[in-house]
Amino acid sequence: MLVLLSPAKSLDFESRPVTRKHSQPRLLERATELIEVLRTKSPDEVASLMKISDELAVLNVDRYRDFETPFTAKNARPAVLGFAGDVYQGLAAPARFDERDFTEAQKTIRILSGLYGVLRPLDLIQPYRLEMGTQLVTDKGSNLYEFWGGQVSELLAADLAESPSPKVVLNLASQEYFGVVDPRLIPAEIISPRFEEITAAGKRRMVSFFAKRARGEMASWVVTNRVRSLRKLRDFDESGYRYDVEHSTHRTPVYVRSAVT
């Protein structure tokens, strides 16, 4: 089983890493190509391209300038510890994972990335911002989906070939990031859970903030419980969620809970 996550805009490169384990991004050479393109952009161009503030644009232009290889434990940080958004607060790797869990996560979790293509949790990264939906023109095309082509999917397929049966992709990434994956190249069932809140009036809705945290919690639960089967996913019950058999389908299991007030 492979678990897919999106990256995060919020980063943590200040706290002390809880593990010394790390690995190199497998598509770092391609990431360096993107950095060279980004280095040609002015702060105004970056602000317009990414629809971010002038302050954030300057910060990221500085990041592209400071990007350097080789990656080491001194100038980079494992991805699972570097990302700090809602998904990664739900994942809570620094608090929940021991060394064996980090090893398990390395086998199980894959993080889709606009800059790095696909990352394992312990792959080193340097601070960056480059969302998958960015319309960045390169010699491969007019956006990052065209830049990555089938390379991300082919790497995921190779990882699946090394994992024990059953061949399953648990898609906990956003639509924007999952868009870089070509299901035709993935020799596995793709399962995309949905997390819903039930209001006091009995209405059901998906709340982005809670759904993101739940995706991280499910990824953490899969790792720490060594989940290997699709049926076991029905037992997920973190933060009050429960499997909703009535509204679920095979490819879209639904988890619900009473709305948080």
Side-chain angles (χ1 to χ4, degrees):
M1 180 182 292
L2 286 185
V3 179
L4 302 185
L5 294 177
S6 302
K9 299 173 187 175
S10 301
L11 303 175
D12 174 14
F13 278 73
E14 302 299 327
S15 64
R16 186 173 181 175
V18 297
T19 181
R20 294 182 179 180
K21 294 181 177 181
H22 61 269
S23 52
Q24 292 294 322
R26 294 174 291 176
L27 300 176
L28 184 55
E29 185 174 339
R30 299 298 310 283
T32 302
E33 293 178 29
L34 287 174
I35 288 293
E36 292 304 317
V37 174
L38 290 165
R39 281 175 171 167
T40 68
K41 307 296 183 185
S42 68
D44 287 345
E45 289 173 319
V46 169
S48 176
L49 180 68
M50 300 187 181
K51 299 177 176 57
I52 56 178
S53 68
D54 292 343
E55 182 179 2
L56 280 175
V58 170
L59 171 63
N60 282 284
V61 165
D62 290 343
R63 287 170 171 172
Y64 307 144
R65 180 198 63 212
D66 295 339
F67 184 96
E68 62 176 349
T69 57
F71 283 6
T72 70
K74 292 184 178 180
N75 69 10
R77 187 177 179 90
V80 75
L81 304 179
F83 295 125
D86 298 331
V87 170
Y88 294 87
Q89 291 177 29
L91 185 70
R96 294 184 182 180
F97 287 5
D98 59 23
E99 290 298 318
R100 290 177 298 176
D101 293 328
F102 279 111
T103 298
E104 178 70 15
Q106 185 79 344
K107 299 175 184 176
T108 305
I109 293 177
R110 295 295 179 266
I111 302 166
L112 305 175
S113 166
L115 179 60
Y116 296 99
V118 59
L119 293 161
R120 297 165 297 185
L122 296 174
D123 284 351
L124 294 173
I125 63 170
Q126 291 180 0
Y128 79 100
R129 178 164 177 163
L130 184 61
E131 296 170 59
M132 189 66 79
T134 303
Q135 300 295 306
L136 181 67
V137 177
T138 70
D139 60 0
K140 303 294 189 300
S142 62
N143 56 54
L144 293 178
Y145 300 111
E146 292 178 356
F147 176 83
W148 288 113
Q151 195 162 13
V152 168
S153 300
E154 290 166 2
L155 192 50
L156 293 175
D159 289 341
L160 276 166
E162 296 179 1
S163 67
S165 297
K167 306 299 184 187
V168 174
V169 170
L170 182 61
N171 174 30
L172 297 172
S174 66
Q175 291 183 351
E176 174 186 353
Y177 281 89
F178 187 70
V180 78
V181 177
D182 185 347
R184 296 171 299 180
L185 301 179
I186 305 297
E189 286 192 275
I190 299 175
I191 307 300
S192 302
R194 178 178 173 85
F195 301 92
E196 298 181 349
E197 316 293 315
I198 301 179
T199 68
K203 294 183 178 180
R204 307 166 68 102
R205 60 177 182 164
M206 193 278 288
V207 179
S208 178
F209 169 76
F210 294 130
K212 288 178 180 178
R213 289 187 67 98
R215 290 170 190 155
E217 289 175 340
M218 176 170 275
S220 185
W221 178 82
V222 167
V223 168
T224 56
N225 288 279
R226 309 295 192 264
V227 174
R228 299 283 190 266
S229 70
L230 277 175
R231 187 164 187 83
K232 181 67 176 176
L233 291 176
R234 298 185 178 189
D235 295 338
F236 175 75
D237 61 357
E238 297 287 308
S239 296
Y241 287 100
R242 60 175 176 80
Y243 177 72
D244 185 346
V245 63
E246 181 180 353
H247 292 87
S248 294
T249 65
H250 178 67
R251 295 188 179 274
T252 308
V254 176
Y255 299 84
V256 296
R257 68 173 179 179
S258 297
V260 176
T261 57

